[in-house]
């Protein structure tokens, strides 16, 4: 198997063929070649029906998770008599339950079906997010945050895994990229929404933070109900695909190495292999550093901007919007290039380095304008360093059990950083937060170096395989047996 970052793809005449038989194995019926024009039309149809739902789900999820940062500016702490590190504790405790339920969610996704599972957790988390606005005590806020972590934990790993049901390796980075664009849009939209909702501060005797929680939570419940009817469980049952398009989906799946029928079932041996593969742990370490930046930046950007200038609360909210917008645009451009060139590591290194420079500017003794420019550089690299590896790792694990487990572990360890990230920016160290920025810079640098190493490793392995130095491993094996090896072939 050619490892991503250096993958080669077969020409059209070498691709598997498919008839009406939907079994994906080496005996695929040899009656129909993949039509590239039809495939492009199919991908556009998938994008039209799947991507808006996926993006909206993650946008609302991320918004409900980090809007506590905006709520802080509108009386959250004073209303609930929060003192010292209470706010930091409220932010971080969500991730305690969040990380505990990510891997299990991935493993049960197929059993409960995506539409039912995702719709259920969406409705429940929307309800919890809405009722957070009714909390009267700090203890009540903590309870809501812990419960929110339980139900939101399954969304992103399930969405990332779900997209692999429909998209090929050459298409996956951009589609997972849409999730991170949603996170950037949530930041931008959250700032604008908080700016507007902030005008309700003290209306009917309620502080603005309550309106932020309630108004931003209600749409999630409505979306959850819609997901139950709109989200297909798998290509074979997608209501918007014709029978010819479903056959084409089978052919596309067969084209990717390791996509046999057996490989797309959960096997205990595959799950075990994810736990003992050192490459999975390397990606986990890289994800931890990148996610530390993500949660620190997303939750504390309003506070950071407030500390580098003399702006009003409303102006601070508006100043966050361009940063997130640039992050979203940059990721879309980089993800498109990454899918086109089938290279992940190079872009991770380049954009990670830009992010490190951004934090260097935030630490420097410069003007407010330079510090604000640093926020833009961080946004440019942030979503690339967080998002591309989430396509890179599953690309190299075609067997479903290992892919689901590896992706779940990657996200679990990455999101564990959410427990630590809030405490990197204690209020007592404001307004410059030199220590917090220094820690974040170091972790971003470590992640960048880690992905640089993985880029080098995969490139070297692909060179060996292209030269035939590992052919002995599959000598005397049938085509079916080779496909069953997955990433070990």
């Amino acid at each position: 198997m050619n490892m991503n970052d250096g993958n080669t793809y077969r020409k059209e005449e070498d691709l598997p063929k498919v008839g009406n038989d939907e079994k994906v194995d080496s005996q695929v019926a040899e009656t129909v070649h993949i039509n590239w024009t039809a495939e492009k039309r199919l991908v556009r149809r998938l994008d039209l029906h799947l991507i808006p739902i996926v993006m909206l789900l993650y946008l609302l999820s991320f918004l409900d998770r980090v809007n506590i940062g905006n709520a802080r500016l509108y009386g959250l702490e004073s209303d609930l008599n929060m003192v010292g590190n209470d706010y930091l504790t409220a932010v971080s405790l969500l991730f305690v339950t969040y990380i505990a339920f990510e891997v299990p969610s991935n493993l049960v996704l197929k059993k409960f079906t995506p539409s039912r599972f995702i719709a259920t957790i969406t409705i429940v988390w929307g309800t919890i997010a809405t009722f957070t606005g009714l909390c009267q005590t700090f203890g009540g806020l903590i309870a809501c945050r812990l419960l929110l972590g339980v139900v939101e934990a399954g969304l992103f790993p399930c969405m990332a895994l779900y997209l692999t049901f429909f998209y090929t390796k050459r298409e996956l980075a951009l589609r997972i990229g849409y999730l991170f664009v949603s996170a950037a849009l949530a930041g931008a939209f959250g700032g604008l929404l908080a700016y507007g909702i902030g005008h309700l501060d003290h209306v009917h005797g309620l502080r603005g933070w309550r309106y932020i929680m309630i108004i931003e939570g209600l749409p999630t419940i409505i979306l959850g109900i819609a997901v139950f009817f709109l989200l297909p469980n798998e290509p074979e049952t997608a209501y918007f695909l014709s029978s010819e398009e479903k056959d084409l989906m089978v052919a596309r799946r067969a084209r990717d190495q390791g996509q046999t029928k057996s490989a797309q079932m959960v096997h205990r041996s595959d799950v075990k292999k994810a736990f003992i593969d050192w490459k999975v742990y390397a990606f986990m370490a890289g994800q931890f550093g990148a996610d530390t930046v993500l949660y620190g930046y997303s939750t504390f950007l309003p506070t950071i901007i407030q500390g580098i200038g003399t702006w009003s609360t409303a102006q601070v909210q508006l100043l966050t919007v361009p940063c997130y917008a640039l992050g979203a645009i940059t990721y879309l451009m980089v993800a498109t290039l990454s899918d086109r060139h089938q290279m992940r590591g190079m872009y991770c290194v380049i954009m990670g380095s830009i992010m490190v420079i951004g934090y260097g500017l935030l630490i420097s003794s410069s003007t407010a304008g330079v510090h604000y420019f640093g926020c833009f550089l961080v946004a440019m690299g942030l979503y690339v360093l967080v998002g591309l590896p989430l396509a890179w790792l599953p690309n190299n694990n075609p067997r479903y059990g290992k892919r689901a487990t590896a992706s779940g572990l990657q996200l679990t360890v990455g999101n564990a950083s959410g427990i630590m990230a809030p405490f990197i920016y204690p209020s007592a160290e404001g307004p410059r937060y030199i220590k917090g920025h220094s820690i974040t810079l170091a972790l971003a640098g470590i992640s960048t170096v880690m992905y640089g190493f993985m880029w080098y490793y995969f490139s070297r392995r692909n060179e060996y395989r292209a030269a035939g130095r590992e052919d002995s491993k599959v000598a005397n094996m049938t085509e079916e047996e080779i496909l069953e090896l997955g990433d070990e072939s």
Side-chain angles (χ1 to χ4, degrees), residues 118-129:
I118 294 172
T120 299
I121 64 175
T122 302
I123 293 170
V124 175
W125 106 57
T127 303
I128 294 170

Side-chain angles (χ1 to χ4, degrees), residues 203-217:
V203 171
H204 300 301
L206 298 177
R207 292 304 309 273
W209 75 271
R210 296 188 184 277
Y211 287 109
I212 290 174
M213 296 292 187
I214 294 171
I215 293 175
E216 293 182 3

Side-chain angles (χ1 to χ4, degrees), residues 297 308 323 326 354 357-359 361-362 367-380:
Y297 187 83
I308 62 178
C323 299
L326 178 63
I354 291 174
I357 294 171
Y359 274 108
L361 293 179
L362 283 170
T367 64
V370 172
H371 291 154
Y372 187 47
F373 178 65
C375 293
F376 281 93
L377 293 184
V378 172
M380 285 182 65

Side-chain angles (χ1 to χ4, degrees), residues 317-340:
Q317 299 291 358
L318 292 177
L319 286 170
T320 64
V321 176
C323 299
Y324 288 117
L326 178 63
I329 293 169
T330 301
Y331 189 93
L332 282 178
M333 293 173 61
V334 173
T336 300
L337 291 172
S338 176
D339 272 344
R340 183 176 301 165

Side-chain angles (χ1 to χ4, degrees), residues 291-309:
D291 279 8
T292 299
V293 184
L294 175 66
Y295 290 119
Y297 187 83
S298 301
T299 305
F300 288 92
L301 183 60
T303 304
I304 292 169
I305 292 178
Q306 190 177 50
I308 62 178

Side-chain angles (χ1 to χ4, degrees), residues 339-398:
D339 272 344
R340 183 176 301 165
H341 300 143
Q342 281 301 284
M343 297 188 73
R344 315 297 189 203
M346 180 183 73
Y347 293 108
C348 286
V349 171
I350 292 173
M351 302 311 295
S353 299
I354 291 174
M355 182 169 62
V356 168
I357 294 171
Y359 274 108
L361 293 179
L362 283 170
I363 293 170
S364 68
S365 299
S366 304
T367 64
V370 172
H371 291 154
Y372 187 47
F373 178 65
C375 293
F376 281 93
L377 293 184
V378 172
M380 285 182 65
L382 172 58
Y383 296 101
V384 174
L385 197 67
V386 172
L388 279 190
L390 294 175
W392 193 0
L393 181 60
N395 276 174
N396 285 311
N397 289 283

Side-chain angles (χ1 to χ4, degrees), residues 152-320:
E152 273 203 32
L155 183 71
F156 187 87
C158 286
M159 285 285 91
L161 184 62
Y162 177 75
L163 290 174
T164 67
F165 297 174
F166 293 88
Y167 292 99
T168 67
K169 295 177 180 181
R170 296 184 68 88
E171 301 156 354
L172 190 59
L174 180 60
R175 275 69 193 186
I176 288 183
Y178 289 138
L179 294 176
F180 284 95
V181 169
S182 298
L185 291 175
F189 181 65
L192 287 172
L193 195 58
Y195 170 74
I197 297 174
H199 289 90
L200 296 175
D201 198 16
H202 297 294
V203 171
H204 300 301
L206 298 177
R207 292 304 309 273
W209 75 271
R210 296 188 184 277
Y211 287 109
I212 290 174
M213 296 292 187
I214 294 171
I215 293 175
E216 293 182 3
L218 289 173
T220 305
I221 301 173
I222 298 171
L223 177 61
I225 297 171
V227 164
F228 184 81
F229 299 99
L230 297 178
L231 198 69
N233 292 319
E234 56 187 357
E236 290 79 5
T237 59
Y239 63 90
F240 53 83
L241 295 180
S242 65
S243 58
E244 292 80 9
E245 288 170 328
K246 292 176 181 178
D247 286 343
L248 182 54
M249 288 295 297
V250 174
R252 279 159 49 83
R253 184 186 302 162
R255 182 177 61 194
D256 279 351
Q257 180 140 3
Q259 298 291 325
T260 65
K261 184 175 181 180
S262 172
Q264 298 318 301
M265 300 173 64
V266 178
H267 298 283
R268 184 175 298 178
S269 59
D270 289 335
V271 174
K272 181 181 178 180
K273 286 176 182 178
F275 282 97
I276 60 176
D277 188 343
W278 71 266
K279 298 186 293 295
V280 175
Y281 287 90
F283 276 95
M284 288 160 60
Q287 200 69 39
F288 181 86
D291 279 8
T292 299
V293 184
L294 175 66
Y295 290 119
Y297 187 83
S298 301
T299 305
F300 288 92
L301 183 60
T303 304
I304 292 169
I305 292 178
Q306 190 177 50
I308 62 178
T310 54
W311 296 294
S312 67
T313 298
Q315 288 173 324
V316 168
Q317 299 291 358
L318 292 177
L319 286 170
T320 64

Side-chain angles (χ1 to χ4, degrees), residues 2 7 58 75 117 136 150 269 388 420 484 489:
N2 272 342
N7 264 344
Y58 194 61
F117 184 74
Q136 301 300 318
V150 172
S269 59
L388 279 190
M420 177 189 72
E484 283 291 330
S489 71

